[in-house]
Amino acid sequence: MNELVVANIQVSSTLDYKSNLKKIKTYLTQAKEEGAQVAFLPECFYSISNGRAPSPYLVEWNNEHFDNIKQLAIDSGLFLIGGSVAFKTDEGILNKAINFDPQGNVIGSYDKCHLFSCDITTVDEQGNTKHKKINEGDIYIAGNDPLIIDVLGWKIGIAICFDLRYPSFLQYYYDKKVDLITFASAFTVPTGMAHWHTLLRARAIEGQCYVVASAQTGENNPGIHTFGHSLVINPWGEVLSDLKELEGVSIKRLKKSKISETRSRVIL
C-alpha cells in the first residue's frame, strides 16, 4: 500500500483507566469516521501513575485490562500501534507497547529499552526554585530488543519516549529502511520545551522516514505535567501536524513516494 492514513491521538490520561478508555474510544471513533486506517496512542495511555509507584491497573496477557485494550482495536476497526502500558511479569513491570490489528490480534509487542532518568531544577517567575528527580527504573525493568512490525505493507519501528535520545539504538531501524518510526511519549514540560521538536525532526531526517509521536499532555496527576505537542513529521524533517497542548486527534495521509523522493535526494 503506497499511502497510509494515520490518526495521531493526544490525551491527558490519569490513573483512572475507565475515564481514559472512554475518552480514547471517542477519538478512535472520530479517527475511523475521518478515514484513518491506523491509530497511534501515547505512553501510559491506559493508566498513568504519579511516577513514584506503578499504576495498580497492571496489564497481563489476557487479563481484564488486556481485553479492554484489545477491544479498542476491535470496536474501532483500526490498527492500534504504539501507546504503552504498565505490564506485569514475573521479573518485574515492563513499559510495554502492545500492537493490535483491527481483529484484536497482537502483531508484536515492544518493551521500552531506555528508562527515563532526570534531575531537573527550574525557577518560576517569582524566583522560586523547584527540584524534581524522576527515575523510571524505580518502577520498571528495561527491555532489550527493537521491534519492526508490518502494517498494510508499511514497515514501522516501535520506540517509546526516552528511546528518542538514543540514535545508536534507532540505527537498527534506519539500517532496516523502515517507513515510519513511532515514539509513544509522556515528555516532561522542561525537557519537551528544550528538546522535543528538535530530536523528533532529527530522527525523521536521520532515518529518511516518517515519524509519528503521540504524546501525553497537561496535568495527568498531581505533580505530573506532560508537554503534549504530538507530531507527525515527514522524511524531509517537516512537521505535518502539531497538536500543541490540546487533547484530540490529527489525521494525516502518508505517502511512500515522499520516502523514496527523500532518499533519492540525499543518499546515505
Side-chain angles (χ1 to χ4, degrees), residues 212-227:
V212 177
S214 179
Q216 292 282 350
T217 190
E219 184 176 2
N220 305 94
N221 287 306
I224 299 293
H225 293 78
T226 45
F227 181 62

Side-chain angles (χ1 to χ4, degrees), residues 137-193:
D138 293 340
I139 297 175
Y140 298 105
I141 58 174
N144 298 303
D145 301 312
L147 174 70
I148 297 174
I149 59 175
D150 183 285
V151 175
L152 300 175
W154 285 63
K155 288 170 33 176
I156 299 179
I158 308 297
I160 300 173
C161 204
F162 205 53
D163 291 327
L164 175 60
R165 295 184 181 272
Y166 291 83
S168 57
F169 168 75
L170 298 169
Q171 188 65 46
Y172 174 82
Y173 295 139
Y174 305 155
D175 291 343
K176 296 294 184 180
K177 300 293 183 183
V178 297
D179 302 303
L180 185 156
I181 303 175
T182 181
F183 296 92
S185 298
F187 246 63
T188 68
V189 173
T191 57
M193 291 176 65

